[in-house]
PDB file of all heavy atoms in Angstrom:
ATOM      1  N   ILE A  10     -23.088   2.691  18.260  1.00 96.00           N
ATOM      2  CA  ILE A  10     -23.513   1.453  17.692  1.00 96.00           C
ATOM      3  C   ILE A  10     -24.675   1.681  16.667  1.00 96.00           C
ATOM      4  O   ILE A  10     -24.601   0.980  15.697  1.00 96.00           O
ATOM      5  CB  ILE A  10     -23.899   0.520  18.928  1.00 96.00           C
ATOM      6  CG1 ILE A  10     -22.777   0.045  19.742  1.00 96.00           C
ATOM      7  CG2 ILE A  10     -24.672  -0.739  18.237  1.00 96.00           C
ATOM      8  CD1 ILE A  10     -23.177  -0.739  20.994  1.00 96.00           C
ATOM      9  N   ASN A  11     -25.509   2.551  17.007  1.00 96.00           N
ATOM     10  CA  ASN A  11     -26.535   2.892  16.005  1.00 96.00           C
ATOM     11  C   ASN A  11     -25.930   3.452  14.732  1.00 96.00           C
ATOM     12  O   ASN A  11     -26.487   3.081  13.610  1.00 96.00           O
ATOM     13  CB  ASN A  11     -27.697   3.794  16.579  1.00 96.00           C
ATOM     14  CG  ASN A  11     -28.488   3.134  17.626  1.00 96.00           C
ATOM     15  OD1 ASN A  11     -28.657   1.968  17.552  1.00 96.00           O
ATOM     16  ND2 ASN A  11     -28.970   3.962  18.478  1.00 96.00           N
ATOM     17  N   GLU A  12     -25.020   4.384  14.843  1.00 94.00           N
ATOM     18  CA  GLU A  12     -24.316   4.910  13.677  1.00 94.00           C
ATOM     19  C   GLU A  12     -23.594   3.857  12.885  1.00 94.00           C
ATOM     20  O   GLU A  12     -23.553   3.838  11.657  1.00 94.00           O
ATOM     21  CB  GLU A  12     -23.422   5.940  13.988  1.00 94.00           C
ATOM     22  CG  GLU A  12     -22.976   6.984  12.801  1.00 94.00           C
ATOM     23  CD  GLU A  12     -22.280   8.178  13.219  1.00 94.00           C
ATOM     24  OE1 GLU A  12     -22.659   8.788  14.337  1.00 94.00           O
ATOM     25  OE2 GLU A  12     -21.653   8.692  12.426  1.00 94.00           O
ATOM     26  N   LEU A  13     -22.963   2.997  13.567  1.00 95.00           N
ATOM     27  CA  LEU A  13     -22.295   1.804  13.056  1.00 95.00           C
ATOM     28  C   LEU A  13     -23.173   1.043  12.232  1.00 95.00           C
ATOM     29  O   LEU A  13     -22.836   0.436  11.085  1.00 95.00           O
ATOM     30  CB  LEU A  13     -21.534   1.016  14.196  1.00 95.00           C
ATOM     31  CG  LEU A  13     -20.489  -0.036  13.697  1.00 95.00           C
ATOM     32  CD1 LEU A  13     -19.261   0.650  13.095  1.00 95.00           C
ATOM     33  CD2 LEU A  13     -20.061  -0.756  14.916  1.00 95.00           C
ATOM     34  N   ALA A  14     -24.357   0.759  12.733  1.00 96.00           N
ATOM     35  CA  ALA A  14     -25.331  -0.172  12.029  1.00 96.00           C
ATOM     36  C   ALA A  14     -26.086   0.430  10.908  1.00 96.00           C
ATOM     37  O   ALA A  14     -26.803  -0.200  10.151  1.00 96.00           O
ATOM     38  CB  ALA A  14     -26.289  -0.621  13.161  1.00 96.00           C
ATOM     39  N   SER A  15     -25.920   1.857  10.762  1.00 95.00           N
ATOM     40  CA  SER A  15     -26.702   2.480   9.699  1.00 95.00           C
ATOM     41  C   SER A  15     -26.080   2.142   8.320  1.00 95.00           C
ATOM     42  O   SER A  15     -25.093   1.510   8.116  1.00 95.00           O
ATOM     43  CB  SER A  15     -26.587   4.005   9.879  1.00 95.00           C
ATOM     44  OG  SER A  15     -25.307   4.523   9.615  1.00 95.00           O
ATOM     45  N   SER A  16     -26.611   2.805   7.289  1.00 93.00           N
ATOM     46  CA  SER A  16     -26.262   2.453   5.956  1.00 93.00           C
ATOM     47  C   SER A  16     -24.947   3.309   5.558  1.00 93.00           C
ATOM     48  O   SER A  16     -24.399   3.200   4.530  1.00 93.00           O
ATOM     49  CB  SER A  16     -27.343   2.848   4.926  1.00 93.00           C
ATOM     50  OG  SER A  16     -27.783   4.275   5.065  1.00 93.00           O
ATOM     51  N   SER A  17     -24.593   4.235   6.440  1.00 89.00           N
ATOM     52  CA  SER A  17     -23.361   5.045   6.164  1.00 89.00           C
ATOM     53  C   SER A  17     -22.223   4.142   6.273  1.00 89.00           C
ATOM     54  O   SER A  17     -21.988   3.318   7.158  1.00 89.00           O
ATOM     55  CB  SER A  17     -23.288   6.088   7.265  1.00 89.00           C
ATOM     56  OG  SER A  17     -22.021   6.798   7.136  1.00 89.00           O
ATOM     57  N   PRO A  18     -21.200   4.241   5.264  1.00 89.00           N
ATOM     58  CA  PRO A  18     -19.995   3.281   5.297  1.00 89.00           C
ATOM     59  C   PRO A  18     -18.974   3.623   6.327  1.00 89.00           C
ATOM     60  O   PRO A  18     -18.088   2.918   6.608  1.00 89.00           O
ATOM     61  CB  PRO A  18     -19.482   3.596   3.906  1.00 89.00           C
ATOM     62  CG  PRO A  18     -20.019   4.807   3.511  1.00 89.00           C
ATOM     63  CD  PRO A  18     -21.313   5.071   4.062  1.00 89.00           C
ATOM     64  N   ALA A  19     -19.160   4.776   6.994  1.00 87.00           N
ATOM     65  CA  ALA A  19     -18.230   5.185   8.029  1.00 87.00           C
ATOM     66  C   ALA A  19     -19.080   5.811   9.222  1.00 87.00           C
ATOM     67  O   ALA A  19     -19.926   6.509   8.944  1.00 87.00           O
ATOM     68  CB  ALA A  19     -17.230   6.306   7.583  1.00 87.00           C
ATOM     69  N   PRO A  20     -18.785   5.423  10.386  1.00 93.00           N
ATOM     70  CA  PRO A  20     -17.723   4.524  10.881  1.00 93.00           C
ATOM     71  C   PRO A  20     -17.888   3.009  10.422  1.00 93.00           C
ATOM     72  O   PRO A  20     -18.950   2.660  10.168  1.00 93.00           O
ATOM     73  CB  PRO A  20     -17.669   4.634  12.484  1.00 93.00           C
ATOM     74  CG  PRO A  20     -19.208   4.917  12.781  1.00 93.00           C
ATOM     75  CD  PRO A  20     -19.602   5.787  11.620  1.00 93.00           C
ATOM     76  N   GLY A  21     -16.863   2.371  10.200  1.00 94.00           N
ATOM     77  CA  GLY A  21     -16.786   1.000   9.895  1.00 94.00           C
ATOM     78  C   GLY A  21     -15.763   0.158  10.625  1.00 94.00           C
ATOM     79  O   GLY A  21     -15.452   0.451  11.728  1.00 94.00           O
ATOM     80  N   GLY A  22     -15.205  -0.868   9.978  1.00 95.00           N
ATOM     81  CA  GLY A  22     -14.367  -1.785  10.543  1.00 95.00           C
ATOM     82  C   GLY A  22     -13.071  -1.198  11.089  1.00 95.00           C
ATOM     83  O   GLY A  22     -12.543  -1.623  12.140  1.00 95.00           O
ATOM     84  N   GLY A  23     -12.604  -0.051  10.424  1.00 96.00           N
ATOM     85  CA  GLY A  23     -11.385   0.507  10.923  1.00 96.00           C
ATOM     86  C   GLY A  23     -11.553   1.168  12.266  1.00 96.00           C
ATOM     87  O   GLY A  23     -10.763   1.025  13.157  1.00 96.00           O
ATOM     88  N   SER A  24     -12.709   1.976  12.366  1.00 96.00           N
ATOM     89  CA  SER A  24     -13.041   2.497  13.814  1.00 96.00           C
ATOM     90  C   SER A  24     -13.187   1.403  14.783  1.00 96.00           C
ATOM     91  O   SER A  24     -12.799   1.640  16.015  1.00 96.00           O
ATOM     92  CB  SER A  24     -14.194   3.500  13.623  1.00 96.00           C
ATOM     93  OG  SER A  24     -13.874   4.636  12.838  1.00 96.00           O
ATOM     94  N   VAL A  25     -13.951   0.343  14.435  1.00 97.00           N
ATOM     95  CA  VAL A  25     -14.170  -0.766  15.388  1.00 97.00           C
ATOM     96  C   VAL A  25     -12.818  -1.274  15.832  1.00 97.00           C
ATOM     97  O   VAL A  25     -12.645  -1.690  16.991  1.00 97.00           O
ATOM     98  CB  VAL A  25     -15.062  -1.752  14.738  1.00 97.00           C
ATOM     99  CG1 VAL A  25     -15.145  -3.101  15.584  1.00 97.00           C
ATOM    100  CG2 VAL A  25     -16.473  -1.159  14.577  1.00 97.00           C
ATOM    101  N   ALA A  26     -11.890  -1.516  14.875  1.00 98.00           N
ATOM    102  CA  ALA A  26     -10.542  -2.045  15.225  1.00 98.00           C
ATOM    103  C   ALA A  26      -9.835  -1.215  16.259  1.00 98.00           C
ATOM    104  O   ALA A  26      -9.262  -1.663  17.199  1.00 98.00           O
ATOM    105  CB  ALA A  26      -9.707  -2.130  13.932  1.00 98.00           C
ATOM    106  N   SER A  27      -9.976   0.141  16.006  1.00 98.00           N
ATOM    107  CA  SER A  27      -9.283   1.012  16.928  1.00 98.00           C
ATOM    108  C   SER A  27      -9.974   0.989  18.278  1.00 98.00           C
ATOM    109  O   SER A  27      -9.238   1.066  19.324  1.00 98.00           O
ATOM    110  CB  SER A  27      -9.518   2.556  16.370  1.00 98.00           C
ATOM    111  OG  SER A  27      -8.796   2.619  15.076  1.00 98.00           O
ATOM    112  N   LEU A  28     -11.253   0.904  18.320  1.00 98.00           N
ATOM    113  CA  LEU A  28     -12.102   0.797  19.585  1.00 98.00           C
ATOM    114  C   LEU A  28     -11.677  -0.453  20.347  1.00 98.00           C
ATOM    115  O   LEU A  28     -11.383  -0.457  21.561  1.00 98.00           O
ATOM    116  CB  LEU A  28     -13.441   0.823  19.323  1.00 98.00           C
ATOM    117  CG  LEU A  28     -14.477   0.727  20.563  1.00 98.00           C
ATOM    118  CD1 LEU A  28     -14.186   1.703  21.623  1.00 98.00           C
ATOM    119  CD2 LEU A  28     -15.902   0.679  20.060  1.00 98.00           C
ATOM    120  N   ALA A  29     -11.556  -1.574  19.662  1.00 98.00           N
ATOM    121  CA  ALA A  29     -11.194  -2.870  20.310  1.00 98.00           C
ATOM    122  C   ALA A  29      -9.889  -2.710  20.909  1.00 98.00           C
ATOM    123  O   ALA A  29      -9.674  -3.266  22.035  1.00 98.00           O
ATOM    124  CB  ALA A  29     -11.257  -3.931  19.243  1.00 98.00           C
ATOM    125  N   GLY A  30      -8.901  -2.156  20.221  1.00 98.00           N
ATOM    126  CA  GLY A  30      -7.576  -1.951  20.694  1.00 98.00           C
ATOM    127  C   GLY A  30      -7.525  -1.084  22.108  1.00 98.00           C
ATOM    128  O   GLY A  30      -6.887  -1.362  23.012  1.00 98.00           O
ATOM    129  N   ALA A  31      -8.379   0.004  21.899  1.00 98.00           N
ATOM    130  CA  ALA A  31      -8.472   0.933  23.122  1.00 98.00           C
ATOM    131  C   ALA A  31      -9.117   0.138  24.247  1.00 98.00           C
ATOM    132  O   ALA A  31      -8.695   0.295  25.451  1.00 98.00           O
ATOM    133  CB  ALA A  31      -9.338   2.119  22.773  1.00 98.00           C
ATOM    134  N   LEU A  32     -10.043  -0.642  24.039  1.00 98.00           N
ATOM    135  CA  LEU A  32     -10.693  -1.495  25.189  1.00 98.00           C
ATOM    136  C   LEU A  32      -9.800  -2.497  25.743  1.00 98.00           C
ATOM    137  O   LEU A  32      -9.707  -2.677  26.911  1.00 98.00           O
ATOM    138  CB  LEU A  32     -11.913  -2.255  24.630  1.00 98.00           C
ATOM    139  CG  LEU A  32     -13.053  -1.437  24.171  1.00 98.00           C
ATOM    140  CD1 LEU A  32     -14.122  -2.208  23.491  1.00 98.00           C
ATOM    141  CD2 LEU A  32     -13.741  -0.718  25.429  1.00 98.00           C
ATOM    142  N   GLY A  33      -8.954  -3.072  24.944  1.00 98.00           N
ATOM    143  CA  GLY A  33      -7.811  -4.023  25.327  1.00 98.00           C
ATOM    144  C   GLY A  33      -6.781  -3.267  26.262  1.00 98.00           C
ATOM    145  O   GLY A  33      -6.353  -3.768  27.335  1.00 98.00           O
ATOM    146  N   ALA A  34      -6.417  -2.044  25.855  1.00 98.00           N
ATOM    147  CA  ALA A  34      -5.493  -1.289  26.537  1.00 98.00           C
ATOM    148  C   ALA A  34      -6.189  -0.850  27.983  1.00 98.00           C
ATOM    149  O   ALA A  34      -5.423  -0.797  29.015  1.00 98.00           O
ATOM    150  CB  ALA A  34      -5.060   0.051  25.844  1.00 98.00           C
ATOM    151  N   ALA A  35      -7.461  -0.467  27.950  1.00 98.00           N
ATOM    152  CA  ALA A  35      -8.190  -0.047  29.077  1.00 98.00           C
ATOM    153  C   ALA A  35      -8.337  -1.215  30.115  1.00 98.00           C
ATOM    154  O   ALA A  35      -8.085  -0.835  31.325  1.00 98.00           O
ATOM    155  CB  ALA A  35      -9.538   0.474  28.746  1.00 98.00           C
ATOM    156  N   LEU A  36      -8.504  -2.420  29.589  1.00 98.00           N
ATOM    157  CA  LEU A  36      -8.547  -3.487  30.508  1.00 98.00           C
ATOM    158  C   LEU A  36      -7.206  -3.836  31.213  1.00 98.00           C
ATOM    159  O   LEU A  36      -7.117  -4.139  32.335  1.00 98.00           O
ATOM    160  CB  LEU A  36      -9.040  -4.818  29.796  1.00 98.00           C
ATOM    161  CG  LEU A  36     -10.501  -4.951  29.610  1.00 98.00           C
ATOM    162  CD1 LEU A  36     -10.881  -6.087  28.634  1.00 98.00           C
ATOM    163  CD2 LEU A  36     -11.193  -5.187  30.968  1.00 98.00           C
ATOM    164  N   THR A  37      -6.121  -3.534  30.374  1.00 98.00           N
ATOM    165  CA  THR A  37      -4.836  -3.720  30.966  1.00 98.00           C
ATOM    166  C   THR A  37      -4.503  -2.713  32.142  1.00 98.00           C
ATOM    167  O   THR A  37      -4.041  -3.028  33.107  1.00 98.00           O
ATOM    168  CB  THR A  37      -3.774  -3.502  29.871  1.00 98.00           C
ATOM    169  OG1 THR A  37      -3.999  -4.299  28.723  1.00 98.00           O
ATOM    170  CG2 THR A  37      -2.441  -3.784  30.273  1.00 98.00           C
ATOM    171  N   SER A  38      -5.015  -1.479  31.903  1.00 98.00           N
ATOM    172  CA  SER A  38      -4.981  -0.458  32.957  1.00 98.00           C
ATOM    173  C   SER A  38      -5.779  -0.927  34.168  1.00 98.00           C
ATOM    174  O   SER A  38      -5.369  -0.675  35.275  1.00 98.00           O
ATOM    175  CB  SER A  38      -5.417   0.887  32.394  1.00 98.00           C
ATOM    176  OG  SER A  38      -4.558   1.398  31.354  1.00 98.00           O
ATOM    177  N   MET A  39      -6.960  -1.506  34.014  1.00 98.00           N
ATOM    178  CA  MET A  39      -7.803  -1.860  35.058  1.00 98.00           C
ATOM    179  C   MET A  39      -7.204  -2.912  35.970  1.00 98.00           C
ATOM    180  O   MET A  39      -7.212  -2.743  37.114  1.00 98.00           O
ATOM    181  CB  MET A  39      -9.124  -2.333  34.489  1.00 98.00           C
ATOM    182  CG  MET A  39     -10.144  -2.573  35.569  1.00 98.00           C
ATOM    183  SD  MET A  39     -11.600  -3.629  34.995  1.00 98.00           S
ATOM    184  CE  MET A  39     -10.875  -5.302  35.018  1.00 98.00           C
ATOM    185  N   VAL A  40      -6.513  -3.863  35.315  1.00 98.00           N
ATOM    186  CA  VAL A  40      -5.821  -4.895  36.051  1.00 98.00           C
ATOM    187  C   VAL A  40      -4.707  -4.321  36.828  1.00 98.00           C
ATOM    188  O   VAL A  40      -4.609  -4.595  37.990  1.00 98.00           O
ATOM    189  CB  VAL A  40      -5.306  -6.038  35.101  1.00 98.00           C
ATOM    190  CG1 VAL A  40      -4.580  -7.124  35.953  1.00 98.00           C
ATOM    191  CG2 VAL A  40      -6.538  -6.737  34.431  1.00 98.00           C
ATOM    192  N   CYS A  41      -3.957  -3.410  36.297  1.00 98.00           N
ATOM    193  CA  CYS A  41      -2.957  -2.665  36.915  1.00 98.00           C
ATOM    194  C   CYS A  41      -3.537  -1.957  38.167  1.00 98.00           C
ATOM    195  O   CYS A  41      -2.958  -2.026  39.350  1.00 98.00           O
ATOM    196  CB  CYS A  41      -2.250  -1.580  36.075  1.00 98.00           C
ATOM    197  SG  CYS A  41      -1.065  -2.253  34.907  1.00 98.00           S
ATOM    198  N   ASN A  42      -4.647  -1.217  37.976  1.00 98.00           N
ATOM    199  CA  ASN A  42      -5.121  -0.451  39.167  1.00 98.00           C
ATOM    200  C   ASN A  42      -5.855  -1.265  40.134  1.00 98.00           C
ATOM    201  O   ASN A  42      -5.894  -0.940  41.358  1.00 98.00           O
ATOM    202  CB  ASN A  42      -6.313   0.451  38.488  1.00 98.00           C
ATOM    203  CG  ASN A  42      -5.563   1.675  37.709  1.00 98.00           C
ATOM    204  OD1 ASN A  42      -4.561   2.163  38.097  1.00 98.00           O
ATOM    205  ND2 ASN A  42      -6.320   2.054  36.634  1.00 98.00           N
ATOM    206  N   LEU A  43      -6.161  -2.508  39.872  1.00 98.00           N
ATOM    207  CA  LEU A  43      -6.648  -3.484  40.842  1.00 98.00           C
ATOM    208  C   LEU A  43      -5.560  -4.209  41.516  1.00 98.00           C
ATOM    209  O   LEU A  43      -5.760  -5.015  42.425  1.00 98.00           O
ATOM    210  CB  LEU A  43      -7.696  -4.506  40.118  1.00 98.00           C
ATOM    211  CG  LEU A  43      -9.033  -3.922  39.768  1.00 98.00           C
ATOM    212  CD1 LEU A  43      -9.773  -4.913  38.864  1.00 98.00           C
ATOM    213  CD2 LEU A  43      -9.865  -3.483  40.975  1.00 98.00           C
ATOM    214  N   THR A  44      -4.296  -3.991  41.063  1.00 98.00           N
ATOM    215  CA  THR A  44      -3.120  -4.643  41.707  1.00 98.00           C
ATOM    216  C   THR A  44      -2.405  -3.598  42.585  1.00 98.00           C
ATOM    217  O   THR A  44      -1.966  -3.998  43.627  1.00 98.00           O
ATOM    218  CB  THR A  44      -2.203  -5.046  40.596  1.00 98.00           C
ATOM    219  OG1 THR A  44      -2.927  -6.037  39.660  1.00 98.00           O
ATOM    220  CG2 THR A  44      -1.009  -5.840  41.172  1.00 98.00           C
ATOM    221  N   ILE A  45      -2.277  -2.310  42.071  1.00 98.00           N
ATOM    222  CA  ILE A  45      -1.614  -1.304  42.800  1.00 98.00           C
ATOM    223  C   ILE A  45      -2.315  -1.070  44.117  1.00 98.00           C
ATOM    224  O   ILE A  45      -3.564  -0.911  44.271  1.00 98.00           O
ATOM    225  CB  ILE A  45      -1.582  -0.040  42.056  1.00 98.00           C
ATOM    226  CG1 ILE A  45      -0.688  -0.337  40.692  1.00 98.00           C
ATOM    227  CG2 ILE A  45      -1.114   1.080  42.715  1.00 98.00           C
ATOM    228  CD1 ILE A  45      -0.795   0.843  39.656  1.00 98.00           C
ATOM    229  N   GLY A  46      -1.483  -1.025  45.259  1.00 97.00           N
ATOM    230  CA  GLY A  46      -1.956  -0.689  46.600  1.00 97.00           C
ATOM    231  C   GLY A  46      -2.391  -1.879  47.393  1.00 97.00           C
ATOM    232  O   GLY A  46      -2.817  -1.793  48.494  1.00 97.00           O
ATOM    233  N   LYS A  47      -2.385  -3.051  46.768  1.00 96.00           N
ATOM    234  CA  LYS A  47      -2.686  -4.300  47.472  1.00 96.00           C
ATOM    235  C   LYS A  47      -1.386  -4.873  48.140  1.00 96.00           C
ATOM    236  O   LYS A  47      -0.438  -5.005  47.458  1.00 96.00           O
ATOM    237  CB  LYS A  47      -3.296  -5.421  46.493  1.00 96.00           C
ATOM    238  CG  LYS A  47      -4.543  -4.912  45.791  1.00 96.00           C
ATOM    239  CD  LYS A  47      -5.829  -4.990  46.613  1.00 96.00           C
ATOM    240  CE  LYS A  47      -7.091  -4.879  45.981  1.00 96.00           C
ATOM    241  NZ  LYS A  47      -7.341  -3.664  45.130  1.00 96.00           N
ATOM    242  N   LYS A  48      -1.545  -5.091  49.352  1.00 96.00           N
ATOM    243  CA  LYS A  48      -0.326  -5.538  50.256  1.00 96.00           C
ATOM    244  C   LYS A  48       0.272  -6.902  49.613  1.00 96.00           C
ATOM    245  O   LYS A  48       1.473  -7.038  49.461  1.00 96.00           O
ATOM    246  CB  LYS A  48      -0.746  -5.899  51.583  1.00 96.00           C
ATOM    247  CG  LYS A  48       0.479  -6.355  52.576  1.00 96.00           C
ATOM    248  CD  LYS A  48      -0.067  -6.669  53.930  1.00 96.00           C
ATOM    249  CE  LYS A  48      -0.478  -5.429  54.760  1.00 96.00           C
ATOM    250  NZ  LYS A  48      -0.666  -5.705  56.165  1.00 96.00           N
ATOM    251  N   LYS A  49      -0.602  -7.711  49.075  1.00 96.00           N
ATOM    252  CA  LYS A  49      -0.159  -9.016  48.500  1.00 96.00           C
ATOM    253  C   LYS A  49       0.669  -8.798  47.246  1.00 96.00           C
ATOM    254  O   LYS A  49       1.601  -9.688  46.934  1.00 96.00           O
ATOM    255  CB  LYS A  49      -1.466  -9.760  48.083  1.00 96.00           C
ATOM    256  CG  LYS A  49      -1.107 -11.203  47.495  1.00 96.00           C
ATOM    257  CD  LYS A  49      -2.404 -11.946  47.051  1.00 96.00           C
ATOM    258  CE  LYS A  49      -2.140 -13.270  46.322  1.00 96.00           C
ATOM    259  NZ  LYS A  49      -3.364 -13.886  46.041  1.00 96.00           N
ATOM    260  N   TYR A  50       0.540  -7.601  46.611  1.00 97.00           N
ATOM    261  CA  TYR A  50       1.235  -7.423  45.361  1.00 97.00           C
ATOM    262  C   TYR A  50       2.254  -6.215  45.430  1.00 97.00           C
ATOM    263  O   TYR A  50       2.651  -5.561  44.486  1.00 97.00           O
ATOM    264  CB  TYR A  50       0.304  -6.996  44.265  1.00 97.00           C
ATOM    265  CG  TYR A  50      -0.632  -8.302  43.874  1.00 97.00           C
ATOM    266  CD1 TYR A  50      -1.934  -8.316  44.428  1.00 97.00           C
ATOM    267  CD2 TYR A  50      -0.191  -9.358  43.095  1.00 97.00           C
ATOM    268  CE1 TYR A  50      -2.829  -9.399  44.206  1.00 97.00           C
ATOM    269  CE2 TYR A  50      -1.039 -10.459  42.920  1.00 97.00           C
ATOM    270  CZ  TYR A  50      -2.357 -10.439  43.383  1.00 97.00           C
ATOM    271  OH  TYR A  50      -3.187 -11.418  43.223  1.00 97.00           O
ATOM    272  N   ALA A  51       2.661  -5.910  46.762  1.00 97.00           N
ATOM    273  CA  ALA A  51       3.637  -4.809  46.945  1.00 97.00           C
ATOM    274  C   ALA A  51       4.884  -5.021  46.060  1.00 97.00           C
ATOM    275  O   ALA A  51       5.483  -4.044  45.655  1.00 97.00           O
ATOM    276  CB  ALA A  51       4.028  -4.759  48.471  1.00 97.00           C
ATOM    277  N   GLY A  52       5.304  -6.258  45.906  1.00 97.00           N
ATOM    278  CA  GLY A  52       6.585  -6.541  45.185  1.00 97.00           C
ATOM    279  C   GLY A  52       6.544  -6.055  43.820  1.00 97.00           C
ATOM    280  O   GLY A  52       7.594  -5.972  43.120  1.00 97.00           O
ATOM    281  N   VAL A  53       5.306  -5.994  43.113  1.00 97.00           N
ATOM    282  CA  VAL A  53       5.220  -5.622  41.744  1.00 97.00           C
ATOM    283  C   VAL A  53       4.623  -4.308  41.538  1.00 97.00           C
ATOM    284  O   VAL A  53       4.244  -3.944  40.418  1.00 97.00           O
ATOM    285  CB  VAL A  53       4.410  -6.670  40.936  1.00 97.00           C
ATOM    286  CG1 VAL A  53       5.121  -8.064  40.931  1.00 97.00           C
ATOM    287  CG2 VAL A  53       2.975  -6.880  41.506  1.00 97.00           C
ATOM    288  N   GLN A  54       4.391  -3.474  42.647  1.00 96.00           N
ATOM    289  CA  GLN A  54       3.593  -2.335  42.533  1.00 96.00           C
ATOM    290  C   GLN A  54       4.394  -1.314  41.559  1.00 96.00           C
ATOM    291  O   GLN A  54       3.802  -0.691  40.718  1.00 96.00           O
ATOM    292  CB  GLN A  54       3.529  -1.727  43.979  1.00 96.00           C
ATOM    293  CG  GLN A  54       2.992  -0.286  43.857  1.00 96.00           C
ATOM    294  CD  GLN A  54       1.963   0.171  44.979  1.00 96.00           C
ATOM    295  OE1 GLN A  54       1.325  -0.694  45.568  1.00 96.00           O
ATOM    296  NE2 GLN A  54       1.955   1.463  45.294  1.00 96.00           N
ATOM    297  N   ALA A  55       5.756  -1.215  41.749  1.00 97.00           N
ATOM    298  CA  ALA A  55       6.452  -0.283  40.836  1.00 97.00           C
ATOM    299  C   ALA A  55       6.255  -0.623  39.403  1.00 97.00           C
ATOM    300  O   ALA A  55       6.092   0.179  38.507  1.00 97.00           O
ATOM    301  CB  ALA A  55       7.831  -0.232  41.285  1.00 97.00           C
TER     302      ALA A  55
END
C-alpha cells in the first residue's frame, strides 16, 4: 500500500485490478472451504 501511494507510477491501477480479482477468487475458495466437510452440505461437497 505504501508503494502504491508513492510518486512511482507503478504499481498502479493494473496491479490493483489483478489484486482485486485474486481477492475475489480467494473469497470464493474460502466459502467452498467453509462448506466442505459440513454434514448439512454433504449433497454439494463434490
Side-chain angles (χ1 to χ4, degrees):
I10 291 172
N11 287 336
E12 189 163 342
L13 192 64
S15 74
S16 60
S17 171
S24 291
V25 169
S27 306
L28 174 58
L32 291 172
L36 277 171
T37 306
S38 296
M39 186 194 84
V40 179
C41 285
N42 287 322
L43 289 170
T44 306
I45 293 166
K47 300 284 194 299
K48 184 185 286 190
K49 181 180 175 182
Y50 298 99
V53 296
Q54 173 144 332

